[in-house]
C-alpha cells in the first residue's frame, strides 16, 4: 500500500515502474498468506517479471519524465473520496472476513472440494477446476491472450514492409559477470518452468505460470546477449506459429472428445478409465495453455524491442 | 468477530482501488494511467482472494490430514485474470508507443492540444 501511494506522488516514470514491480511482489506474498498459492505464483511471475519488463520497454520507446498536469487535484480527489466512502458504506452489508459460513463457501465450492479428488484424481483443486470443470472459461481466456498478442503484433510488428535491420541490437554481453550468471541461471529457469508445467497437477503451478517463466528465461537471454541472438534461437516465425498451435491444442482436445462421443472438453472419454482420461485431458490442455502463453509473451517482447531498433534507424 | 473490524479486508481493497482510480483520472501521463489501472486490477484480485479465505483453512491442494481448505474457485478465476491482465496491459502499452510515435508525447493535455479538441 505504501508503494501504491508513493506511485501517486512520483514524477520519475522509471522509479514508478520499479516500484510497481515491488508492489506486485508484495501482493504475491500477500496471496500466499491468503492460501492462494497458485495466484501468488502467477502474480510473482507476471506482475514482478513480465509487466515490469514491458513497461520498461515502453519507457525506452517513449519518454522518461512525467510533465506537470495542468488541472489541479481537487476535483478528482473529491470524486475518489465520495466513491470510496460510498463503497465503504456498502461493505457494511458484506460477510465477515474468513468466516466459513459465508455465502461464497456454500454454493458450488464444497462440491469441488469434496468430489474433485474422486472425479478428476488431481490433488491440486485449482488445476482441476481450471482445466476441467471450468475448461470453457480457460479456453476463452487463452483465446483472449492470443488476441492480445495479435493486437500488439498489428500495432508494433512489421508485416509486409520488413526493413532489413542491420544495426546490432543493444546487448550487455560485455559485462562478464552478467554473462556468466545468466548462462548459469537460464537452464535452471527453464527446468523450473518444466517442473511448474508438469507438476501443476500435484502442487501449485500449471500452464499459465510455466508459460510466463519460460518466456522470462528467453527474455533474460535476449536482454543479456541481444535480441538477434535470441531470435536465432527461436525465430519470430516459429513464435507466431506456436501462438496459434497452443490454442489449437486446447480446442483440438475438445474436438477429439466430441468425436469420441463425449461433450466438448469432457475428458472422461479419452481413456478407458474416466480418471485417467481426466489426467490426459488436463495434461494436454495445460500444455496448450503453456505454449500459447510463452509464445504470446515472447512475441510481445520482441515486437517492443524490434520497434526500438526501427526507431533508432529512422533517427539516423 | 462481531464488529466492523471483520470487514477490514474490504477496506484495504477500497483504499487500494481508490488509489488506482485517482491515478487514472487525475494524472495526465498515459503510462502512469496504465500503472493506475493495474493497481485497480490488483485490488479487485485481492478482494476475490480474500473472500476465498476460510479461517484455519489450508491451500486447496489435497493432502493427507488436512480437511479444511480455502475456496479454490476464486483462485482459478483470479489466476487467469492476472494473465489476461498482463496481455491487455501489453496491448495498452503498444497503443501508447504508437501514440508517442504519432504525437511525440504521452501527455493527455498535449495530445488534446494537437488535436484541437478542448
Amino acid at each position: 500500500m505504501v508503494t501504491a501511494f508513493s506511485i501517486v506522488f512520483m514524477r520519475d516514470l522509471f522509479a514508478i515502474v520499479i516500484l510497481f514491480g515491488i508492489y506486485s511482489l508484495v501482493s504475491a506474498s500477500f496471496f500466499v498468506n491468503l492460501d492462494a498459492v497458485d495466484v501468488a505464483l502467477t502474480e510473482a511471475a507476471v506482475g514482478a517479471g513480465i509487466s515490469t519488463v514491458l513497461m520498461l520497454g515502453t519507457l525506452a520507446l517513449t519518454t522518461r519524465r512525467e510533465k506537470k498536469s495542468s488541472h489541479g487535484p481537487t476535483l478528482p480527489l473529491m470524486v475518489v473520496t465520495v466513491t470510496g466512502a460510498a463503497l465503504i458504506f456498502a461493505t457494511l452489508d458484506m460477510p465477515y472476513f474468513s468466516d466459513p459460513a459465508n455465502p461464497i463457501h456454500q454454493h458450488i465450492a464444497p462440491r469441488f472440494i469434496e468430489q474433485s479428488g474422486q472425479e478428476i484424481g488431481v490433488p491440486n483443486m485449482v488445476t482441476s477446476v481450471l482445466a476441467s470443470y471450468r475448461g470453457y472459461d480457460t479456453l476463452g481466456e487463452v483465446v483472449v491472450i492470443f488476441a492480445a498478442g495479435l493486437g500488439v503484433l498489428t500495432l508494433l510488428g512489421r508485416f509486409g514492409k520488413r526493413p532489413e535491420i542491420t544495426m546490432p541490437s543493444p546487448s550487455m554481453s560485455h559485462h562478464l559477470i552478467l554473462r556468466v550468471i545468466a548462462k548459469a541461471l537460464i537452464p535452471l529457469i527453464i527446468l523450473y518452468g518444466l517442473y511448474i508445467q508438469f507438476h501443476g497437477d500435484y502442487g501449485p503451478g500449471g500452464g499459465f505460470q510455466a508459460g510466463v517463466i519460460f518466456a522470462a528465461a528467453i527474455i533474460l537471454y535476449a536482454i543479456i546477449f541481444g535480441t538477434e541472438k535470441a531470435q536465432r534461437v527461436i525465430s519470430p516465425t516459429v513464435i507466431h506459429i506456436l501462438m496459434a498451435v497452443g490454442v489449437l491444442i486446447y480446442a483440438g482436445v475438445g474436438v477429439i472428445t466430441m468425436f469420441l462421443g463425449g461433450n466438448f472438453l469432457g475428458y472422461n472419454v479419452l481413456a478407458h478409465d474416466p480418471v485417467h482420461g481426466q489426467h490426459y485431458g488436463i495434461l494436454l490442455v495445460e500444455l496448450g495453455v503453456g505454449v500459447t502463453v510463452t509464445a504470446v509473451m515472447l512475441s510481445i517482447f520482441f515486437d517492443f524491442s524490434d520497434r526500438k531498433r526501427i526507431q533508432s534507424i529512422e533517427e539516423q | 468477530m462481531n464488529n466492523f473490524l471483520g470487514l477490514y479486508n474490504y477496506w484495504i481493497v477500497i483504499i487500494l482501488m481508490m488509489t488506482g482510480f485517482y491515478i487514472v483520472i487525475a494524472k495526465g501521463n498515459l503510462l502512469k494511467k496504465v500503472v493506475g489501472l493495474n493497481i485497480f486490477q490488483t485490488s479487485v484480485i485481492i478482494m476475490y482472494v480474500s473472500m476465498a479465505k476460510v479461517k484455519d483453512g489450508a491451500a486447496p491442494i489435497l493432502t493427507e490430514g488436512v480437511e479444511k481448505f480455502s475456496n479454490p474457485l476464486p483462485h482459478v478465476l483470479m489466476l487467469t485474470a492476472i494473465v489476461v491482465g498482463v496481455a491487455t496491459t501489453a496491448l495498452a502499452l503498444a497503443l501508447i508507443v504508437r501514440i508517442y510515435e504519432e504525437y511525440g508525447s504521452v501527455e493527455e493535455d498535449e495530445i488534446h492540444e494537437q488535436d484541437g479538441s478542448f
Side-chain angles (χ1 to χ4, degrees), chain B residues 9-87:
Chain B
N9 61 324
Y10 303 113
W11 297 348
I12 294 174
V13 167
I14 289 169
I15 292 169
L16 276 179
M17 194 184 270
M18 289 305 115
T19 314
F21 187 35
Y22 175 76
I23 296 177
V24 172
I25 59 176
K27 300 291 170 179
N29 186 293
L30 294 177
L31 185 74
K32 210 165 179 182
K33 278 180 196 278
V34 173
V35 173
L37 268 183
N38 267 304
I39 292 178
F40 198 105
Q41 185 201 6
T42 320
S43 79
V44 175
I45 292 169
I46 292 176
M47 181 173 97
Y48 273 79
V49 170
S50 71
M51 278 157 110
K53 170 81 177 161
V54 176
K55 210 177 177 188
D56 303 325
I61 296 172
L62 287 175
T63 343
E64 275 178 44
V66 181
E67 281 176 4
K68 246 176 150 181
F69 298 103
S70 287
N71 194 335
L73 186 57
H75 296 182
V76 175
L77 303 179
M78 290 309 106
L79 192 161
T80 46
I82 291 176
V83 182
V84 170
V86 75

Side-chain angles (χ1 to χ4, degrees), chain A residues 46 54 144-146 148-149 152 296-297 300, chain B residues 81-92:
Chain A
V46 165
L54 289 181
V144 169
I145 293 168
F146 175 68
V152 175
V296 167
M297 295 299 156
I300 291 172
Chain B
I82 291 176
V83 182
V84 170
V86 75
T88 47
T89 303
L91 198 60

Side-chain angles (χ1 to χ4, degrees), chain A residues 144-196:
Chain A
V144 169
I145 293 168
F146 175 68
L150 280 187
V152 175
L153 198 61
T154 33
L155 283 170
L156 295 184
R158 17 186 203 117
F159 275 123
K161 47 184 180 183
R162 269 191 196 274
E164 204 50 48
I165 299 178
T166 45
M167 208 182 77
S169 56
S171 73
M172 291 191 235
S173 49
H174 52 279
H175 291 291
L176 180 67
I177 298 176
L178 280 181
R179 215 169 55 214
V180 172
I181 300 281
K183 272 198 174 147
L185 270 182
I186 288 168
L188 287 178
I189 297 176
I190 293 183
L191 189 67
Y192 182 62
L194 282 173
Y195 168 78
I196 295 282

